[in-house]
Amino acid sequence: MFSLAGKTALVTGCRRGIGLGMAEALAEYGADIVGVSAQLEPQGSQVATAVESFGRMFTGYRCDFADRQAVKNLIEQVQANHPQIDILVNNAGTILRKPAAEHPDEYWDQVINVNLNASFLLARSFGQLMLQRGYGKMIFTASLLTFQGGITVPGYAASKGAIGQLVKALANEWAGQGVNVNGIAPGYIATDNTAALRENATRSRQILERIPAGRWGLPNDLKGPTVFLASAASDYVDGIILPVDGGWLAR
């Protein structure tokens, strides 16, 4: 039920961290990977090496997800070169921190464009083709701030709250046509994006005190949930946001 043999997955934000772990997991279970990141190396990237180590094909693209036309150009290019995308992982994201009263327009626009608008454009375009075939899997990377408000990240919280609602909206329309749409909400994962938090002794201690599992998560912790939601094992799972948070939301 978990085999992805013969499938092709498009994974955004695949260069490092959570997206890298997701791409590795899908390749390990048999999928070829089309990977996209803003700064993806043209040759010898970590994600390409990992995917190819499982005997799977990797094709990489660069895209500025804040640029709507660049996203549309990416879609045209991928659809021309890879006519069948079976799995879409909308993982690319960014976060910009500043108190709400001082949060500039450019911060808000950048985060909403990358985290929400680009994800919708990709889902709409590849969703059309999935609906025509009567099969597809979509996974959105949500966040703990899909459920909570956070501090000094109003654009990020708004974007991830909207991702949660978008998952439900798409699932409502597409579940009956063979396309499963779901999301994963990572907890506090040890990646470059959380380095500042982990290096702040006080903040790190406060975070760890709330996590029942007693540790920061790792990108590897996202692998199993990703394969589950990308495979036939989740054929009757639609519209959920699956927390992978060591129990954070249970506290």
Side-chain angles (χ1 to χ4, degrees), residues 94-111:
T94 191
I95 187 168
L96 294 171
R97 301 176 184 276
K98 189 158 281 201
E102 306 163 18
H103 211 76
D105 289 355
E106 53 268 27
Y107 275 31
W108 177 273
D109 291 344
Q110 175 82 6
V111 172

Side-chain angles (χ1 to χ4, degrees), residues 56-189:
R56 308 316 310 161
M57 292 181 58
F58 179 84
T59 308
Y61 297 88
R62 282 190 176 189
C63 181
D64 177 2
F65 292 102
D67 182 338
R68 182 174 296 228
Q69 189 58 52
V71 176
K72 290 183 175 180
N73 292 343
L74 169 72
I75 291 168
E76 290 182 5
Q77 191 175 9
V78 171
Q79 290 182 345
N81 296 334
H82 313 275
Q84 183 162 322
I85 296 295
D86 305 288
I87 302 157
L88 171 63
V89 180
N90 263 324
N91 172 71
T94 191
I95 187 168
L96 294 171
R97 301 176 184 276
K98 189 158 281 201
E102 306 163 18
H103 211 76
D105 289 355
E106 53 268 27
Y107 275 31
W108 177 273
D109 291 344
Q110 175 82 6
V111 172
I112 295 296
N113 283 333
V114 173
N115 294 4
L116 179 60
N117 293 344
S119 291
F120 174 69
L121 293 176
L122 289 161
R124 181 180 62 190
S125 294
F126 289 99
Q128 290 170 356
L129 299 180
M130 290 177 178
L131 291 169
Q132 290 173 14
R133 294 193 302 270
Y135 176 85
K137 300 280 185 174
M138 284 193 191
I139 304 169
F140 288 75
T141 297
S143 168
L144 294 180
L145 297 197
T146 302
F147 307 97
Q148 301 173 323
I151 301 170
T152 74
V153 288
Y156 184 82
S159 72
K160 292 302 185 177
I163 286 294
Q165 292 303 105
L166 180 58
V167 165
K168 296 173 188 176
L170 297 180
N172 285 343
E173 294 191 32
W174 296 350
Q177 300 179 68
V179 179
N180 302 105
V181 183
N182 293 289
I184 294 174
Y188 284 91
I189 308 297

Side-chain angles (χ1 to χ4, degrees), residues 13-67:
C14 67
R15 181 173 175 266
R16 61 186 183 180
I18 290 171
L20 171 60
M22 290 173 152
E24 287 180 347
L26 297 173
E28 183 175 357
Y29 278 77
D32 292 325
I33 305 298
V34 177
V36 190
S37 282
Q39 302 298 326
L40 186 64
E41 300 87 348
Q43 300 291 333
S45 66
Q46 186 177 356
V47 62
T49 300
V51 168
E52 290 167 357
S53 74
F54 294 109
R56 308 316 310 161
M57 292 181 58
F58 179 84
T59 308
Y61 297 88
R62 282 190 176 189
C63 181
D64 177 2
F65 292 102
D67 182 338

